[in-house]
Amino acid sequence: AGVQLIHTRLGESLMPCEHGGKLTSNSSLNFICMGRGLHMTITITSMVTRAAVEVEDSAYGRWTQLNWVDYFNSAIKEICRLKFDAYTKRANVVLASGVIQALPSDGHRLIRPTRNMGADGVTVGNAVRFVELDPQNSFSETWYSQTNGTSVDDVFYDSRHPLEFFVSPPASTYYLEIIYAAIPAVVVIGSNFPLIDIYETPAIYFAKGFAHQANRADVDFNRANAFMELAFSSLGLQKGSEKETER
């Protein structure tokens, strides 16, 4: 509640919107827009089939389809953790009164605020500056106790405390548009892959790594490590180094 979401997945009832994409709504999230150029055309079924064939288990004797779906859910989360821009949403969030604000429940990192959206969530206002929290605290020790404003001038953020952000002046109840990194909903065998196509191969490597981790044989641990190395490499990262957490 209180979020107007500008993103959706395929398969919902859609109609044209002003952003050049499609517009829909549901009971809890309003004005959902899916822009052009998204490539979520791969199914979890096809990815499960591919992974099983590649590990020479197309009859699902070692791992069932449900096992593979669990591994792909873990893979999707791992990709989103390592690449926070792998799955992003743009949403109008209604601010709580005061300075401290929370990301939507599916968010794990604020990418940036964009603009004020008024008391109704549709009235476009001024752009918003995005600033680190520590310099603001050094500059003004009393900014937390300012009088509530009618729009946001600045948003402050500390990535070490990623689920909250701070606004100045303190908010009344009005809307702010933000872009944030989210975790997709859990997939099932009939789902579409929620990330864009370039993440299909890393997800398959991760899923095969998780599958082999589930077995206790030393040879499977070696295979698991090899698949994990391939997954990190395909994301442009190096497993076991600080590059894993670079943003």
Side-chain angles (χ1 to χ4, degrees):
V3 178
Q4 295 180 331
L5 187 64
I6 319 296
H7 181 95
T8 189
R9 62 185 183 276
L10 297 180
E12 295 180 299
S13 176
L14 302 170
M15 59 186 179
C17 80
E18 63 178 343
H19 301 284
K22 304 273 182 138
L23 187 68
T24 186
S25 65
N26 61 35
S27 59
S28 61
L29 300 173
N30 302 315
F31 304 112
I32 300 178
C33 170
M34 183 174 65
R36 292 175 179 167
L38 299 181
H39 303 287
M40 295 179 291
T41 56
I42 302 167
T43 66
I44 295 298
T45 301
S46 69
M47 295 175 71
V48 166
T49 300
R50 175 181 162 186
V53 168
E54 290 179 357
V55 297
E56 300 180 343
D57 187 40
S58 57
Y60 303 108
R62 294 190 69 187
W63 302 285
T64 67
Q65 285 188 323
L66 291 179
N67 290 148
W68 282 112
V69 171
D70 287 341
Y71 302 144
F72 276 113
N73 275 303
S74 296
I76 290 165
K77 289 180 182 178
E78 187 71 358
I79 291 170
C80 290
R81 181 183 73 85
L82 294 166
K83 291 284 192 179
F84 69 88
D85 54 354
Y87 189 79
T88 63
K89 293 183 178 180
R90 179 163 54 92
N92 295 338
V93 296
V94 62
L95 300 177
S97 179
V99 170
I100 302 173
Q101 309 296 327
L103 287 180
S105 59
D106 62 344
H108 65 96
R109 186 182 178 97
L110 178 65
I111 294 178
R112 69 168 301 106
T114 56
R115 55 187 177 172
N116 287 280
M117 291 300 292
D120 57 3
V122 296
T123 302
V124 177
N126 291 338
V128 179
R129 292 182 292 268
F130 191 31
V131 186
E132 291 186 1
L133 181 61
D134 286 344
Q136 174 65 8
N137 289 339
S138 298
F139 176 75
S140 175
E141 296 177 352
T142 61
W143 75 272
Y144 290 96
S145 57
Q146 297 176 77
T147 302
N148 283 11
T150 57
S151 65
V152 173
D153 294 328
D154 301 281
V155 167
F156 305 102
Y157 189 61
D158 186 340
S159 60
R160 297 165 298 183
H161 186 67
L163 301 185
E164 293 183 336
F165 60 96
F166 304 80
V167 297
S168 177
S172 301
T173 302
Y174 49 83
Y175 285 87
L176 179 71
E177 185 183 83
I178 64 171
I179 299 171
Y180 67 99
I183 298 295
V186 171
V187 300
V188 296
I189 195 65
S191 300
N192 288 324
F193 182 54
L195 310 183
I196 61 174
D197 292 1
I198 61 171
Y199 294 111
E200 178 191 16
T201 295
I204 288 174
Y205 284 142
F206 273 126
K208 290 191 290 188
F210 290 134
H212 284 87
Q213 283 179 352
N215 289 280
R216 298 301 180 187
D218 289 342
V219 64
D220 274 358
F221 277 116
N222 292 334
R223 289 172 179 165
N225 287 333
F227 284 128
M228 291 300 184
E229 292 282 358
L230 288 169
F232 277 84
S233 177
S234 65
L235 291 173
L237 302 173
Q238 182 178 346
K239 187 176 184 298
S241 75
E242 294 181 355
K243 292 182 179 180
E244 289 181 31
T245 55
E246 283 184 1
R247 298 302 191 219

